[in-house]
Amino acid sequence: MLVDYVIESQNAGLLESVLLPFDIYNDSAQQALVVLKQRFLYDEIEAEVDHCFDIFVLKLCETVFTYYKSWAASELLDPSFLSALDNGEKFSVQPLRLTALLKMTRVKLLGRTINLRGLTSERMNKVFRENIDFLFDWFESQDLCAIVELENLLNILQHAHELLSRDLSIDSFNLMLNEMQENISLVSYSSRLASQIWTEMQNDFLPNFTLCNTTQRFVRSSKVSFAPVRKPSPPCANANFYCGTQDLNSAHQCFAQLHSGFFGIPHIFSMVRLLGSRSLPWLIRALLDHLSNKISTLEPMITGLQDALPKSIGLFPFDGGVTGCLRLVKEHLNWGSKSELKTEVLRGIKEIGSVLYWMGLLDIVMREVDTTHFMQTAPWLGLIPGTDGQLLQSQEEGDSPIVTLFKSATAASVSNHGFSNPTPFNTISKQAEAADLLYKANMNTGSVLEYALAFTSAALDKYCSRWSATPKTGFIDITTSKDFYRIFSGLQIDYLEESVQVPASTHEVLGDSVAWGGCTIMYLLGQQLHFELFDFSYQVLNIAEAETSSIAQTQKNAPFGQGWESLLEAMKRARRLNNHVFSMLKARCPLEDKQACAIKQSGAPLHRVKFENTVSAFETLPQKSS
């Protein structure tokens, strides 16, 4: 009880003397053996000492872990947050005199010498591993938006490890983290965290999150989930497995809630830092395989919608106005029996667009990370940025600065007779040359988005003949075409009408990912110009503009559109979004360098004329074997 009181009170003065009560057991054992000469009494004392000392080590380690965890969480709090509070002192941690206890290697107890430092180190290694395992279990019960909070909790734990390592010899934090992630093997490129992220993306993120292109964020749809996911209940643990104390838990939770309602660039940064260069390529490849499988799944559905199209759909006449034009659309696009098929196609295109936009966000993050890495390593490698993104050597001839530095140190050590063994300097010089070659080889990294677009283009090659058929007459099919752009045009005007009839319903389910998926497929199939010329909603907008101008000339105050203002405004928003997507694709994947589709002056199209690939991520396209 006395030891419990000292530990639980956390009195800095008493903690250094916490082992003094154990001298009572030493005196009792001496009395039992020497004075009373009772062996069985000594055995009882010994058993009680073993039990009490185990409990003491357990409570001491818990106190040490809580103290260092709270210390780390307090130091990682934003200083501006603390300065804005009137009671910011409650987040500070009072110092404890634990250094003397943690350095004890010879504790005398019943004639035995106990290494308290060694016992504490073993216990702390176990506690850190249990904490890491708990954090991963906790993340598995959350959605993907909790990746920022997971990184923050792991950073607190790592900082606590750094603080404790000053006073205690414990295992490396990276070693413990890799063990808990099951990522120790040299041939293992996946990890527990990467597998969990992929599972979340496949089962919850891609089906149930919608994209807002303006904010560059994914948000969970407020509608009923298409793919409800059963998650395990959050594990229970003490406050020291989070941030140390309840007050610190609440403070860090306030920051975590800022990122809990969406998924965007901050979450991508956390994901890149947590996965690292070892597991991130595995996740990218898993997403690209999912994209390829989704295209394969859409192929029979697209065929079903092609069969449902009428044999001929001409250009809409201007004399009927917007009302007559929309009446023709309803007559031609009679997909009433294909409503479920149409919904599945839209969901599939949405997932394709979400994957590609996610790759775009990852590309932004990777470029920033690569830039930071370049700024850190370029001075040592003798590299300077040139024009058009090229890297130039600051010295035309000779070694890089880091190699020159270590070669000079090696030469000085060899020439100095005071050095009896210059071998370490020779080893360091060779390692510098190897590092120079390794870092220079990794400087020219490709674009993740370009790689994803190239992969998508290769996956679409299988269905080019069915989704982008060559016209039999040699000229553009205006009325009889059933290419993909005609299918997407019908789907677009259909869900735009639904979004007007049921406000915020369709857009909350699909978001802006549909435009990214559909426009990317059309662009890679070479159908952008066809879509912009013959899209149904674009034709309606052209007719509306002509009708507006004619009404303005005849009757200035005449009503226009007969209630179609909301639909026309939705069509304009869709056209602006499509133009934005096409402009991004032209900038990142120019067709004149990879594959071209143009329309001759005579009206005859050039279908997917392929040119030689430039030096980029398009050189090798990993494609699943058919």
Side-chain angles (χ1 to χ4, degrees), residues 323-340:
T323 304
C325 182
L326 293 175
R327 186 184 303 113
L328 287 176
V329 171
K330 292 182 179 180
E331 293 177 358
H332 289 308
L333 299 179
N334 187 13
W335 284 347
S337 60
K338 303 285 187 179
S339 59
E340 294 183 0

Side-chain angles (χ1 to χ4, degrees), residues 13-82:
L14 294 178
L15 273 176
E16 293 182 341
S17 306
V18 71
L19 291 173
L20 288 179
F22 284 98
D23 286 339
I24 299 174
Y25 289 102
N26 290 330
D27 296 339
S28 301
Q30 178 74 13
Q31 188 74 10
L33 285 178
V34 177
V35 179
L36 300 177
K37 300 184 184 298
Q38 297 292 333
R39 175 69 188 207
F40 77 93
L41 183 59
Y42 174 81
D43 292 340
E44 291 294 328
I45 295 173
E46 185 181 25
E48 185 175 346
V49 167
D50 292 341
H51 178 66
C52 292
F53 197 80
D54 289 342
I55 296 177
F56 162 71
V57 173
L58 183 65
K59 291 194 173 184
L60 176 64
C61 291
E62 184 177 356
T63 301
V64 171
F65 183 75
T66 302
Y67 169 68
Y68 281 94
K69 193 74 175 291
S70 304
W71 185 7
S74 177
E75 286 192 348
L76 292 181
L77 275 177
D78 190 351
S80 60
F81 168 76
L82 296 176

Side-chain angles (χ1 to χ4, degrees), residues 170-448:
I170 53 180
D171 294 342
S172 168
F173 185 80
N174 290 332
L175 175 63
M176 293 189 287
L177 185 62
N178 289 333
E179 285 183 8
M180 293 298 102
Q181 288 207 81
E182 303 169 2
N183 195 21
I184 296 295
S185 174
L186 294 177
V187 296
S188 174
Y189 298 101
S190 176
S191 63
R192 178 181 177 182
L193 181 59
S195 300
Q196 176 60 24
I197 291 175
W198 162 235
T199 302
E200 280 294 312
M201 294 195 69
Q202 186 179 20
N203 298 333
D204 184 31
F205 179 77
L206 294 177
N208 301 326
F209 278 68
T210 59
L211 169 66
C212 179
N213 186 76
T214 304
T215 60
Q216 293 185 331
R217 293 178 175 181
F218 292 90
V219 294
R220 183 178 292 277
S221 174
S222 59
K223 303 301 176 182
V224 179
S225 300
F226 292 123
V229 181
R230 293 182 179 179
K231 299 180 182 294
S233 57
C236 299
N238 296 329
N240 59 0
F241 266 32
Y242 288 98
C243 301
T245 63
Q246 292 294 346
D247 292 334
L248 289 170
N249 288 348
S250 301
H252 282 276
Q253 186 67 27
C254 292
F255 289 100
Q257 289 177 354
L258 298 176
H259 301 91
S260 61
F262 70 97
F263 183 92
I265 289 183
H267 302 78
I268 299 287
F269 269 109
S270 298
M271 194 176 297
V272 169
R273 287 190 290 262
L274 289 175
L275 294 181
S277 59
R278 186 170 182 178
S279 298
L280 188 60
W282 177 88
L283 178 62
I284 294 174
R285 181 54 196 254
L287 282 169
L288 292 179
D289 286 341
H290 177 76
L291 187 146
S292 179
N293 293 334
K294 186 61 64 173
I295 293 176
S296 302
T297 305
L298 285 179
E299 193 274 332
M301 301 180 187
I302 297 294
T303 302
L305 293 180
Q306 287 175 334
D307 296 338
L309 283 177
K311 294 182 179 180
S312 176
I313 302 179
L315 296 176
F316 298 146
F318 277 66
D319 53 0
V322 175
T323 304
C325 182
L326 293 175
R327 186 184 303 113
L328 287 176
V329 171
K330 292 182 179 180
E331 293 177 358
H332 289 308
L333 299 179
N334 187 13
W335 284 347
S337 60
K338 303 285 187 179
S339 59
E340 294 183 0
L341 188 63
K342 179 187 65 175
T343 303
E344 290 298 326
V345 171
L346 284 173
R347 291 178 190 172
I349 296 175
K350 167 190 171 291
E351 289 196 25
I352 293 174
S354 297
V355 171
L356 292 172
Y357 196 86
W358 189 92
M359 292 291 180
L361 294 180
L362 179 62
D363 189 64
I364 295 173
V365 172
M366 292 301 298
R367 286 178 179 272
E368 183 171 339
V369 172
D370 291 341
T371 302
T372 304
H373 181 255
F374 172 78
M375 294 174 64
Q376 293 171 345
T377 57
W380 297 97
L381 301 178
L383 299 176
I384 56 176
T387 58
D388 298 330
Q390 298 177 353
L391 297 179
L392 304 176
Q393 289 284 346
S394 58
Q395 301 175 357
E396 297 182 358
E397 296 181 358
D399 298 321
S400 61
I402 185 172
V403 176
T404 304
L405 175 64
F406 284 106
K407 280 187 175 180
S408 301
T410 303
S413 64
V414 172
S415 60
N416 190 348
H417 299 289
F419 282 90
S420 59
N421 185 18
T423 304
F425 287 91
N426 292 324
T427 303
I428 294 176
S429 178
K430 293 179 181 179
Q431 291 177 348
E433 294 179 5
D436 178 72
L437 295 175
L438 178 63
Y439 278 95
K440 284 183 178 179
N442 292 330
M443 278 295 173
N444 295 319
T445 55
S447 169
V448 176

Side-chain angles (χ1 to χ4, degrees), residues 456-469:
T456 307
S457 178
L460 290 172
D461 283 340
K462 300 179 182 178
Y463 314 106
C464 179
S465 59
R466 281 164 282 183
W467 291 6
S468 183

